[in-house]
DNA sequence: CACTTTTGTCCGGTATTTCAGACATCATGT
DNA sequence: ACATGATGTCTGAAATACCGGACAAAAGTG
């Protein structure tokens, strides 16, 4: 028996498990790490092999190399591996190397402390939306999405800002057609989405209520990079029944802080 | 001229730049990332090549692959590269991965796959409740609590089961007085909580509606260890508006699976 | 301006690495 | 007990990824 519900993911991943194809170790490594990220839990070598469409023997070899480098580590009694300490160091180095990003993270901390709400930093990864970092509200149960998980752009408030620089035509080519379908089955008409994008661009912020799920009110404000483009967004994830007055206050704060983080063009 | 004071580091690194040796791409990648980490600043491809003792052509190839995977990214006007966003995501995954995976994983996976709901494995850690593991329902935003975060026992359904073996007196000594106060300010009367505990023990399960927050219906069933004690629970976290019929089905499934995982006496 | 160093890209050959398959051991389930 | 499937390790062989080297263009130096 396969130890997991992994088979669906193999097919979903779209990686053609073409037979007889030989691939480079580097590419295997990249595929492996991304598979691990999507799965979000330790995996066994056999399952990894299936997931990335690599021979078992090759996968063992690669995993052992990465284990030795501490990019992966064993977890649990046997067989399971997950990201290792080295990854943490690399990631930490990434997020602290540039002053702008550090400033953003500090703002994130401050906003979370001041408001007690869930705050996120969002961006694009390919043609998907991802949460780059977040500070969750202190309650025991929270409404949030995991850092690094790819989500369809039309499901999010931030997504409406992040494609703001594109024409309708460009957006149409950029976002996969299936991404307009919400998790609950509803479908967003592309025209409606384009209108949202235009509105977000005019307003300088974007809000969605009970869109990707029934419980959240999301508001996002753009962080402009040096060239005036929108690279990242700052975002509150609120309970949908948050009073309007408070929403207004939070929106003001959000826009102010996002403006403060934007770089004015060279 | 070498663009940096890198030469010293090459020697300091201890990597023998043996000539004529051929190395695998994977090993090059590992050396490259570690070199970047040691250097703690963006580097140019030429310097990287010298630093890891690799041919320039090879280094370009590798760097380009890693750039495409966003494990590296270009920084500055030209030529410099440093860790990329993917590294941040991998590192985040590492540091948010708390120990206790592994044991009841399969059941957790299967239940999540079968029902599409959020399933958790819960236990005690000192006099607090913790989520030991969870499988979240699909969908981008979810209602959940972080694995490993300590929560007051009276706020949870599982908590009512986990203290089931104690007398009222023991419970009173065990749970800090402040823990009866909910996040929204309401206070649970200790007597009411004791009654809940007794009910949970008689029923063999426990449910709470909109307790720790306004959006969740929690149901928990006990996993008995070899001595008949309850030290873990299986738990569904549902939207509070889940229809009663479905709740009934899920509760049955939950109790059945929890019973299946319980160990019958030594 | 002449001179040197570096950058980024391309190419063909071969030393290597990936791959397929086999095998002994464990687990799991019937 | 038997059948099935997964794990971890090896091996030989062939496809190819890496290497060395060459080149034009750019950038620094005197």
């Amino acid at each position: 028996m396969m130890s997991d519900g992994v088979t669906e993911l193999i097919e979903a991943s779209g990686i053609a498990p073409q037979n007889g194809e030989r691939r480079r170790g580097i590419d295997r490594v990249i595929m492996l790490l991304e598979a691990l990220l999507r799965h979000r839990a330790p995996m066994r070598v056999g399952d990894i092999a299936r997931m990335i469409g690599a021979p078992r023997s090759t996968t063992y070899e690669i995993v052992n190399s990465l284990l030795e480098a501490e990019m992966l580590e064993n977890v649990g009694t046997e067989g399971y591996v997950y990201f290792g300490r080295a990854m943490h160091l690399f990631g930490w180095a990434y997020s602290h190397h540039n002053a702008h990003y550090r400033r953003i993270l500090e703002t994130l901390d401050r906003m979370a402390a001041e408001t007690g709400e869930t705050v996120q930093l969002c961006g694009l990864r390919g043609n998907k939306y991802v949460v780059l970092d977040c500070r969750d509200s202190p309650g025991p149960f929270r409404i949030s999405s995991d850092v690094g998980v790819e989500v369809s752009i039309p499901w999010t408030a931030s997504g409406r800002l992040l494609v703001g620089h594109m024409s309708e035509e460009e957006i149409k080519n950029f976002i996969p057609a299936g991404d307009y379908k919400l998790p609950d089955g509803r479908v967003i008409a592309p025209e409606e989405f384009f209108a949202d994008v235009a509105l977000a661009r005019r307003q300088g912020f974007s809000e969605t209520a009970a869109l990707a799920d029934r419980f959240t009110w999301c508001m996002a404000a753009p962080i402009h990079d040096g060239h005036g483009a929108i690279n990242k967004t700052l975002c509150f994830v609120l309970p949908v029944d948050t009073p309007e007055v408070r929403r207004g206050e939070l929106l003001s704060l959000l826009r102010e802080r996002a403006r403060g983080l934007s770089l004015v063009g060279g």
Side-chain angles (χ1 to χ4, degrees), chain A:
Chain A
M1 217 27 202
M2 195 171 286
S3 63
D4 245 13
V6 190
T7 14
E8 317 89 59
L9 282 173
I10 301 173
E11 286 136 26
S13 74
I15 300 168
Q18 300 274 6
N19 221 344
E21 246 182 282
R22 193 182 162 179
R23 299 188 108 113
R24 297 195 305 174
I26 299 188
D27 295 329
R28 297 290 192 198
V29 168
I30 293 170
M31 285 190 262
L32 190 158
L33 295 175
E34 283 175 350
L36 214 46
L37 182 66
R38 273 201 314 277
H39 194 254
R40 292 228 144 246
M43 293 176 75
R44 314 177 100 199
V45 182
D47 291 332
I48 294 176
R50 271 189 293 276
M51 195 131 164
I52 66 178
R56 267 163 12 88
S57 51
T58 304
T59 309
Y60 272 103
E61 175 106 14
I62 291 174
V63 166
N64 286 332
S65 291
L66 297 180
L67 281 173
E68 198 176 358
E70 293 191 285
M71 289 177 62
L72 297 181
E73 70 181 26
N74 279 107
V75 42
T77 57
E78 210 171 349
Y80 285 86
V81 296
Y82 202 51
F83 296 111
R85 204 168 51 97
M87 285 304 190
H88 180 62
L89 301 178
F90 299 153
W92 197 91
Y94 166 79
S95 53
H96 288 70
H97 93 280
N98 94 38
H100 189 222
Y101 201 93
R102 271 205 305 274
R103 227 153 51 80
I104 292 175
L105 292 183
E106 281 163 22
T107 303
L108 224 54
D109 283 328
R110 207 164 51 240
M111 288 175 70
E114 287 170 7
T115 66
E117 302 290 351
T118 296
V119 201
Q120 299 181 332
L121 176 69
C122 307
L124 291 185
R125 184 169 151 89
N127 56 7
K128 297 286 183 178
Y129 152 104
V130 290
V131 179
L132 298 174
D133 213 326
C134 68
R135 297 291 177 274
D136 290 310
S137 73
F141 294 102
R142 299 163 336 216
I143 305 165
S144 72
S145 78
D146 258 343
V147 167
V149 173
E150 300 186 349
V151 172
S152 299
I153 292 174
W155 297 7
T156 67
S158 295
R160 285 159 172 69
L161 287 165
L162 291 165
V163 298
H165 61 289
M166 299 183 186
S167 68
E168 284 197 12
E169 194 59 28
E170 286 174 311
I171 296 177
K172 209 173 284 182
N173 294 330
F174 186 62
I175 299 180
D179 284 11
Y180 292 94
K181 186 171 173 188
L182 293 170
D184 63 0
R186 285 180 296 161
V187 174
I188 300 175
E191 295 71 35
E192 192 187 328
F193 179 70
F194 299 150
D196 281 358
V197 172
L199 177 65
R201 182 169 37 215
R202 277 201 309 279
Q203 291 182 144
F205 68 89
S206 178
E207 291 186 287
T208 63
L211 188 65
D213 73 312
R214 298 191 297 291
F215 309 108
T216 51
W217 184 294
C218 298
M219 49 179 69
I223 300 175
H224 297 268
D225 66 15
H227 314 304
I230 297 173
N231 230 355
K232 300 183 176 62
T233 64
L234 225 47
C235 174
F236 273 124
V237 181
L238 309 172
V240 71
D241 58 358
T242 304
E244 188 173 345
V245 178
R246 174 139 173 90
R247 287 207 315 264
E249 294 166 6
L250 291 170
L251 181 58
S252 300
L253 178 67
L254 186 73
R255 299 186 64 189
E256 178 197 317
R257 293 293 162 82
R259 222 177 1 249
L261 289 171
S262 292
L263 303 170
V264 277

